[in-house]
Amino acid sequence: MASPTSINPAHAHFESVLQAQLCQDVLSSFQGLCRALGLEPGGGLPQYHKIKAQLNYWSAKSLWAKLDKRASQPVYQQGRACTGTKCLVVGAGPCGLRAAVELAMLGARVVLVEKRTKFSRHNVLHLWPFTIHDLRALGAKKFYGRFCTGSLDHISIRQLQLLLLKVALLLGVEIHWGVTFTGLQPPPRKGSGWRAQLQPSPPAQLANYEFDVLISAAGGKFVPEGFTVREMRGKLAIGITANFVNGRTVEETQVPEISGVARIYNQSFFQSLLKATGIDLENIVYYKDDTHYFVMTAKKQCLLRLGVLRQDWPETDRLLGSANVAPEALQRFARAAADFATHGKLGKLEFAQDAHGRPDVSAFDFTSMMRAESSARVQEKHGARLLLGLVGDCLVEPFWPLGTGVARGFLAAFDAAWMVKRWAEGAGPLEVLAERESLYQLLSQTSPENMHRNVAQYGLDPASRYPNLNLRAVTPSQVRDLYDVEAKEPVQRMSDKTDSRKPATALVATQEELLHWCQEQTAGYPGVHVTDLSSSWVDGLALCALVHRLRPGLLEPSELQGVGALEATSWALKMAEHELGITPVLSAQAMVAGNDPLGLIAYLSHFHSAFKSTPHNPGPVSQGSPGTASAVLFLGKLQRTLQRTRAQGNGEDAGGKKPRVEVEAETPSTEEPPVPEPDVPVTPPSQYQEASAEDLCALCGEHLYILERLCANGRFFHRSCFRCHICEATLWPSGYGQHPGDGHFYCLQHLPQPGHKEDSSDRGPESQDLPTHSENNMPSRPSIPGAPQEGTTPVPSQPTRQLIRLSSPERQRLSSLHLTPDPEMEAPPKPPRSCSVLARQALEGSFVGWGMPVQSPQVLVAVEKEEEESPCSSDEEAEEDVPLDSDTEQVLWNLAKNSGTMNSYPTWRRTLLRRAKEEEMKRFCKAQAIQRRQNEIEAALRELEAKGTELELALRSRSSSPEQQKALWLEQLLQLVQKKNSLVAEEAELMITVQELNLEEKQWQLDQELRTYMNREETLKTAADRQAEDQVLRKLVDVVNQRDALIRFQEERRLSELASGPGPQG
């Protein structure tokens, strides 16, 4: 029987369009198809219907069925929703093409211009579940058979552009290549329309094309005039991408991908990489598609040391310019990192070629990212209105480690098409703009978790995608500035720092308000008379009274009789830091001397901003509110716990680490006095040693201004000086330690561990101990720890539990504290966990418990049913199974055989693998979001420090400035102090989340280690095995208790916020 292509030549052209893998081949095949059918390309939906009518053989019908199903949704009104609307789309990137496809389905005439002539970007994009389903519904697997097979959730940019290009051509989009959009040409007179300025000289038909909608998807470097762009800056971040040839050999397919591994929670991997290759990274991702794609964030000092960067320049453009990057060294760097991450299993790594025929490896800067202030505008001239919309990178430049670029780009494309539909329906310009801006507010907050779960229902209507949608969040009156009667001036670029120039109202108390608040808080205490913010505090009594008011029970006022001013002030400073989370800004000597009134005002303003909502009761308070729980306070306690643990490390016996109860029973080290229990009164210390004056940095010796001061271990530093002694990384709260030998500060990755040389390289934040129940200031009865008897093996006792109310996220985190098995365990340092390892963990955690038998087949049947209902498995094309290692394959095979679900085994296997990869990606994205925000906070703090230095110099200079001007400067300084305190508090909140990630990582590692012992026969275990198993079990219990401490801290803070919030809250 003859094939269809031998009967009808058009069939051959159509098959060529489906199979073409180069942009030019797609265009030439489609032109041949149109000639064979007697059609002109770019004819809109009528062209699509003509092609469909003439190509009715089975291969074409399967594609028409998918496109027709999408076009049959009511929102498109059978392709008549935007009839008569003329659109110009600039840019043939994934977002521009996706917007063009939606506009074509609405029935609009769509013309697309692209300055390039081919698709050459091999970089791989992470796809959210809804983007996978969306592309499948457009026939992605017809154009690219390997699209998201098995558990794959990514695609190269080039392949994504190719499949969207084919869909756009079939739907009648008119595409012009090698044409650059340079600007708008307003209508010269009434009755004419808007045109585009294009280079080089376009065909007459394109040059005379008049349109009433412009969608810009031309990338972050081009934004149409009239739009304002905001710059979001962090500290220097250098990314490196590399694409290696994928030979698709059996060996290559067996190498697991890396959805993401980050230093923030897996420091041992990066320490091993540094030791083996000298390469210092923050993160790394590996995907397979047309190429082996690697993307990583490298540290500048490492690139300089390895010769990748020839010279250090302060300007980023110059630092990463082609003249300063050594290509050969960059190639060696990328090849070594990729080889280490994949354990050398990819063999000889050969670079793929980029568009210029050079090795496809590059370094790029993502220190700053641009974000448009608005997503749409309307311009009107001579009665002709033009609707302008942004999608893709020119709307929001994505932060690549989060994998949000294409997903949010598609959402923006849908939102822009919905805007055009509302425009075509005749809605007023301000109404259309208000709805679009309401949707734009949601874009940066979207994630797979907070969108509608049923991705099959996603459509053009925003209500199908966004839960709790409010299209009136922005009112028409708020977008009047987006409606221009005449074209406005060129695009403006502004930075986040401009916010600080805006007058702040009600952000911070004035000097008079601060004084009045201090007088209220200290009223009624004997011997305390606060009349100013300088001399009234030199005797220390006022500060002790303030601390007592906020935290009663630490000290009775009568106990201060006979105590010197320096001792009382030292005690108050210490208690404020340890029990209230208020870090010192000046030393006790400076406060007693009264020679730093600005520092005192800044210090007291921290009390006011943290406790201004605390209700005031006249007279000394015997019992009161413990105050709001602070992340800064929690991390301070954690840091001191770590110091005590390290100081007592030399007292450990051969059997391992002493249990917590024994450690806490011993006398604390002289470096850190014990932290008193909140309900146990204590007397102030008779001596308190100040390490350094607060006006000089303890490391560089340079002058310290108020906003520059960072206090650690009783000494003051510049934030820029407080870095790891080895890697020079910024030291975050609870993420550093001071070596008792050399006195230097180190990050936990590089902190030397005396007496533990064998695991010093792998010791990271996962070895931290969280504050105990009493240290965490949870309301509890005082407990007196007792020392264990000699010769007995201490067993961790069950801590006293309290009935607490958990929110849904916290309850979900509690439920995740399960122990999952894995028979094999690699010795540390571990490589990044692949999705197959996570899948194996999920499998055994689901079907094999603590010695429990395999669960009933109903479990597997339920998994199978869920996979069958998943829209991702609804395609008629056969799925390609992802190869697994032999052990995981055997586990899956045994489970399928024993449960009687052998026939459906491949489907639920893919479900488990996909779930594992999604969890791995969520973890990585969470870590990268934290790291990015930390960098932004650090950059913002540097700006605040510079402004604060200027104000402080002006205030301290004995100039003849009027008092009114000095008062204004002081208020501005207090505003900067509060902004700094707010940023530091946010930084501490981020570190709490880091602790959660670290503990999850440690629990996973201990899970695997414990399983290696528990899966052995009892008769085969030696005494050393049983002892090691007991040690691992105690460590695991300790980790679970530490995670519980985090949840209790969050619960205490939540309850405090409920108690202090305005009005009742549910």
Side-chain angles (χ1 to χ4, degrees), residues 82-138:
C82 293
T83 302
T85 303
K86 297 180 180 179
C87 305
L88 177 68
V89 178
V90 181
C95 299
L97 287 167
R98 190 65 190 87
V101 167
E102 284 301 306
L103 294 173
M105 284 190 168
L106 286 167
R109 182 186 175 188
V110 185
V111 175
L112 186 148
V113 294
E114 168 59 48
K115 64 181 179 180
R116 297 183 177 89
T117 58
K118 58 182 178 180
F119 298 150
S120 57
R121 291 184 289 175
H122 295 294
N123 293 358
V124 178
L125 300 173
H126 172 69
L127 300 178
W128 289 4
F130 96 84
T131 54
I132 296 176
H133 180 267
D134 177 69
L135 292 169
R136 285 180 184 269
L138 293 178

Side-chain angles (χ1 to χ4, degrees), residues 8-287:
N8 189 341
H11 294 177
H13 290 294
F14 181 73
E15 293 297 326
S16 297
V17 171
L18 296 182
Q19 303 301 325
Q21 290 296 300
L22 295 176
C23 180
Q24 293 300 330
D25 293 344
V26 174
L27 296 176
S28 61
S29 298
F30 185 75
Q31 289 171 355
L33 174 64
C34 290
R35 284 194 301 268
L37 299 178
L39 302 174
E40 283 292 329
L45 277 184
Q47 171 203 282
Y48 165 71
H49 292 300
K50 292 176 182 178
I51 295 177
K52 184 178 68 170
Q54 298 186 56
L55 296 178
N56 54 8
Y57 69 102
W58 65 270
S59 182
K61 282 184 177 180
S62 62
L63 178 60
W64 308 145
K66 289 182 174 295
L67 295 179
D68 288 345
K69 182 178 180 181
R70 175 79 181 193
S72 65
Q73 295 179 7
V75 70
Y76 298 110
Q77 299 176 17
Q78 296 181 349
R80 294 191 294 268
C82 293
T83 302
T85 303
K86 297 180 180 179
C87 305
L88 177 68
V89 178
V90 181
C95 299
L97 287 167
R98 190 65 190 87
V101 167
E102 284 301 306
L103 294 173
M105 284 190 168
L106 286 167
R109 182 186 175 188
V110 185
V111 175
L112 186 148
V113 294
E114 168 59 48
K115 64 181 179 180
R116 297 183 177 89
T117 58
K118 58 182 178 180
F119 298 150
S120 57
R121 291 184 289 175
H122 295 294
N123 293 358
V124 178
L125 300 173
H126 172 69
L127 300 178
W128 289 4
F130 96 84
T131 54
I132 296 176
H133 180 267
D134 177 69
L135 292 169
R136 285 180 184 269
L138 293 178
K141 289 189 72 66
K142 292 294 296 184
F143 305 115
Y144 184 48
R146 287 191 295 270
F147 176 76
C148 288
T149 55
S151 62
L152 299 183
D153 57 359
H154 49 76
I155 188 174
S156 70
I157 298 177
R158 191 182 72 86
Q159 286 291 352
L160 181 56
Q161 287 177 287
L162 281 174
L163 69 88
L164 288 174
L165 170 64
K166 296 172 185 179
V167 176
L169 289 172
L170 290 172
L171 292 177
V173 176
E174 181 181 332
I175 301 179
H176 296 269
W177 301 92
V179 178
T180 302
F181 176 86
T182 58
L184 286 170
Q185 182 178 334
R189 59 189 176 277
K190 191 173 183 63
S192 58
W194 291 81
R195 299 180 182 178
Q197 298 176 358
L198 305 170
Q199 290 181 354
S201 299
Q205 180 184 1
L206 180 60
N208 297 327
Y209 177 61
E210 295 183 352
F211 48 88
D212 46 17
V213 174
L214 172 67
I215 302 296
S216 176
K221 294 183 179 180
F222 178 81
V223 179
E225 61 182 3
F227 286 90
T228 302
V229 179
R230 179 181 299 278
E231 181 184 19
M232 299 174 289
R233 294 195 62 84
K235 72 174 185 179
L236 179 64
I238 301 175
I240 294 177
T241 60
N243 284 280
F244 299 98
V245 174
N246 186 353
R248 303 192 185 279
T249 63
V250 176
E251 292 77 13
E252 288 175 293
T253 59
Q254 295 290 343
V255 179
E257 294 180 333
I258 304 172
S259 294
V261 58
R263 176 190 294 272
I264 204 168
Y265 62 83
N266 193 348
Q267 295 193 9
S268 60
F269 168 75
F270 293 97
Q271 178 68 9
S272 302
L273 172 65
L274 179 62
K275 284 186 176 182
T277 64
I279 293 175
D280 205 1
L281 299 179
E282 293 287 349
N283 52 48
I284 188 169
V285 173
Y286 162 51
Y287 284 144

Side-chain angles (χ1 to χ4, degrees), residues 753-789:
Q753 300 295 323
H756 293 270
K757 297 181 180 179
E758 69 279 2
D759 60 353
S760 61
S761 63
D762 299 325
R763 185 178 176 89
E766 66 271 6
S767 60
Q768 300 176 6
D769 292 328
L770 290 177
T772 59
H773 184 73
S774 58
E775 277 186 309
N776 200 22
N777 281 336
M778 292 293 291
S780 62
R781 298 179 180 178
S783 59
I784 304 177
Q789 298 179 358

